Amino acid sequence: VGGDVHRNTASGRGGAFFVDGPARIVGVGGAVSENVAQGAGGAAYATGDVALVGVGGGVIDNRANGGNGGALYANGSVSASDIAGGISGNSASGSGGAFASVGGLSVARVGGNITRNRALGGDGGAFFALDGSCALLDLDDEPLIEHNVAG
């Protein structure tokens, strides 16, 4: 994906992408922003694992109006890395304001702040992993992780 993944909507799950199986989203040149799903996974939903690798902008202002994972939801694990911008302003009606997974969750090499994500009816203002394993690795220049709200 060379440009933005921007302003996509779904009446069900996955505002921009719904994948029945594992998903690998690589090389988004711009931002993943303002995508809306009426179910889970504001920008992307997968019945397997999700890998989001190489986002030139941020993961910003995505919404899951009827479920978990304001930006990404995986029925497996979520792995997100090399996000040049921040992860901010995402919201879910359930858990995981930005990312939610049934399996493990790891976030690595984020170049911006992780702020203002909201899980309106559940746990994990920014990130939620049902299996309990969540890792934040190799975050650039000590980004702010603040104002993420759950419940």
Side-chain angles (χ1 to χ4, degrees):
V1 180
D4 294 329
V5 177
H6 182 66
R7 291 190 180 162
N8 298 286
T9 61
S11 59
R13 299 168 289 182
F17 305 104
F18 175 91
V19 179
D20 189 8
R24 185 165 170 83
I25 304 165
V26 179
V28 177
V32 176
S33 62
E34 298 179 34
N35 298 288
V36 178
Q38 296 309 313
Y45 179 99
T47 61
D49 298 339
V50 172
L52 177 64
V53 180
V55 177
V59 178
I60 303 165
D61 295 333
N62 298 285
R63 292 192 329 260
N65 290 335
N68 300 329
L72 299 177
Y73 176 84
N75 207 24
S77 63
V78 168
S79 172
S81 63
D82 300 309
I83 299 171
I87 300 170
S88 65
N90 301 289
S91 65
S93 66
S95 295
F99 303 155
S101 68
V102 172
L105 191 145
S106 68
V107 178
R109 294 179 302 282
V110 175
N113 298 325
I114 301 170
T115 62
R116 299 180 302 104
N117 298 290
R118 298 174 298 152
L120 302 172
D123 299 317
F127 308 121
F128 174 79
L130 184 62
D131 83 348
S133 63
C134 183
L136 299 177
L137 309 167
D138 212 9
L139 301 177
D140 294 344
D141 299 322
E142 299 181 32
L144 292 174
I145 301 174
E146 65 180 5
H147 303 296
N148 298 290
V149 177

